[in-house]
Amino acid sequence: MPHFARHLEHHNIHNPFPGIVKLEQALGHRVVSRLGANESLPKPSSPLLALFGDALTEAARLYPDPYALALRERVALLRGVETEQVLFDAGADSLILLALRLVCNAGDAVVCSAGTYPTFRYFAEGVGSRVLEVPYQQQAAQLRPDLKRLAEVARAERAALLYLANPDNPTGHYWGADDILALRNALPARTMLLLDEAYIDFCAGEDAPPPGALPQTLRLRTLSKAYGLAGLRVGYALAEQAIIAKADQIRPQYALSGLAQLAAKTVLDDPDYAPELIAATIQLRERLADALRHRDLTVLPSHTNFVSVAYANPASSEAIQRRLLADGIAVHRPPHPAMRHLLRVTAQSQALSAKVLDALAEG
Ligand SMILES: Cc1ncc(COP(=O)(O)O)c(C=O)c1O
């Protein structure tokens, strides 16, 4: 039985504007004249035409399908789940907020690793959650989320939600299917597992993630990393049908724009695009990690599209980041006190320049 925030448990909310696609489904035929949505006139001289072409200009003019049915069907096929087990929104970030709104009452405990993707904490505080953090485990050069301790804290605090980025940002660590299933089993049935799989596409060839929808679990995916759409904001969630149906009731229904939907469909329909992008990224990541190790730096094993370097202390990483910034080169230093000794570098070809590599190695 899925578990939701108190005010949602026994209350169904109806979307006042379900859109044309739902209307066509209910009618069983096409709507040929859109006279009910107060959209703009088509203007043949739109200044967008030169930039976007006809299809995108028209997508920009019209309200999109709030349920992104075409995308849900496409992803259901791709991931081997039912269409009703998929939900699209404006990026994985928006889905993190949606998950929190779905299960948290103000004051509820939510659990995460101390220093993981900070947007989780940012949104959790905004909905009035109590954020409980569990330190990472250090294992040789790895920093890994402590699954046992995370589950213990979730149980002790009757947490509404546990957030795990897998692969993790900024550590790059990845837990395989058995560990994730064991974590789910160790959690109270009421605790939502928010499994942020933003980087999962870069784990190609490794221990595969568990298939399909898991109980009281929301799995997040994004088209920002392996599909090149970070600027358009497209992400989706996989979960049991009852969770998706409830999430759909509280989602800002038009957040995913028509442009984003058209672009997402185009990249998802291209069988070669993402696999090539993923292969090129993994190759760059490994070259970058090798080059950094060659300079005697401590590189955390990465299953993502970035590489994190661990320095002896926060002062060293800060000094190096400052020098790089003075040269117009931005690398990321995570804001959490437990992660201030790291620098996170995206696997891009510029990162392999001697200038960047040397600067990262300057002690
Ligand atoms: C772990 C994690 N989750 C989510 C996101 C954001 O994804 P999106 O661009 O789909 O909002 C990021 C972005 O870096 C991330 O590192």
Side-chain angles (χ1 to χ4, degrees):
M1 262 284 282
H3 183 87
F4 304 114
R6 259 191 309 278
H7 59 282
L8 298 174
E9 274 298 346
H10 304 291
H11 179 49
N12 284 316
I13 303 171
H14 297 284
N15 176 3
F17 296 110
I20 293 286
V21 173
K22 281 264 188 226
L23 179 60
E24 286 178 338
Q25 276 182 328
L27 291 170
H29 59 78
R30 297 293 311 274
V31 167
V32 288
S33 296
R34 295 171 64 119
L35 303 179
N38 298 350
E39 289 148 338
S40 311
L41 295 177
K43 190 143 190 304
S45 60
S46 166
L48 293 182
L49 275 171
L51 189 66
F52 285 174
D54 288 333
L56 287 181
T57 301
E58 189 62 355
R61 184 178 73 84
L62 300 175
Y63 282 105
D65 172 12
Y67 295 95
L69 184 65
L71 290 178
R72 290 181 186 211
E73 288 174 347
R74 184 73 189 83
V75 158
L77 274 180
L78 206 63
R79 301 292 166 221
V81 296
E82 302 297 320
T83 306
E84 294 76 18
Q85 295 177 317
V86 186
L87 172 152
F88 269 80
D89 202 355
D93 280 354
S94 295
L95 289 158
I96 293 174
L97 180 56
L98 185 64
L100 286 160
R101 290 177 55 226
L102 192 61
V103 296
C104 289
N105 306 293
D108 279 353
V110 298
V111 185
C112 65
S113 297
T116 190
Y117 185 54
T119 300
F120 172 70
R121 184 179 190 112
Y122 172 60
F123 286 150
E125 287 182 6
V127 299
S129 305
R130 262 184 315 125
V131 182
L132 306 173
E133 295 188 327
V134 171
Y136 283 85
Q137 278 175 330
Q138 177 95 45
Q139 259 259 327
Q142 289 188 48
L143 279 172
R144 51 189 212 183
D146 186 341
L147 300 189
K148 190 160 165 277
R149 189 73 196 121
L150 284 163
E152 277 168 11
V153 174
R155 276 201 305 273
E157 298 286 338
R158 291 177 54 74
L161 183 145
L162 186 147
Y163 172 82
L164 180 74
N166 192 51
D168 184 51
N169 178 4
T171 66
H173 184 274
Y174 172 67
W175 287 110
D178 290 350
D179 294 299
I180 295 301
L181 293 173
L183 171 66
R184 179 57 268 179
N185 285 335
L187 292 176
R190 70 189 301 279
T191 303
M192 161 80 69
L193 173 59
L194 180 55
L195 195 54
D196 182 342
E197 300 180 318
Y199 296 99
I200 201 81
D201 299 301
F202 303 107
C203 294
E206 299 172 47
D207 184 6
L214 308 176
Q216 192 67 2
T217 299
L218 205 61
R219 309 176 69 161
L220 308 187
R221 305 287 174 94
T222 180
L223 273 65
S224 293
K225 315 288 176 189
Y227 292 84
L229 294 188
L232 284 179
R233 316 301 305 125
V234 188
Y236 62 90
L238 304 174
E240 288 182 334
Q241 185 172 344
I243 297 177
I244 295 293
K246 188 61 89 174
D248 256 338
Q249 293 177 17
I250 60 166
R251 192 170 49 85
Q253 72 274 59
Y254 285 100
L256 186 65
S257 75
L259 292 191
Q261 291 194 34
L262 203 54
K265 187 159 181 323
T266 307
V267 293
L268 285 167
D269 280 346
D270 186 324
D272 301 324
Y273 173 69
E276 285 172 13
L277 197 50
I278 292 165
T281 305
I282 292 175
Q283 202 184 37
L284 260 176
R285 177 188 80 200
E286 293 310 309
R287 282 177 59 200
L288 178 59
D290 285 349
L292 293 167
R293 284 196 188 100
H294 199 69
R295 283 169 167 76
D296 286 336
L297 290 166
T298 304
V299 176
L300 307 191
S302 173
H303 303 264
T304 65
N305 70 350
F306 60 78
V307 171
S308 286
V309 181
Y311 291 90
N313 51 59
S316 306
S317 56
E318 186 180 8
I320 289 170
Q321 186 193 33
R322 266 185 211 283
R323 283 201 291 273
L324 282 163
L325 279 175
D327 271 344
I329 298 161
V331 298
H332 181 68
R333 186 164 168 256
H336 194 282
M339 297 288 158
R340 298 299 274 160
H341 64 302
L342 298 184
L343 288 180
R344 199 193 67 200
V345 186
T346 310
Q348 300 274 351
S349 50
Q350 298 102 304
L352 281 164
S353 74
K355 183 176 170 179
V356 174
L357 293 170
D358 290 345
L360 286 166
E362 257 174 48

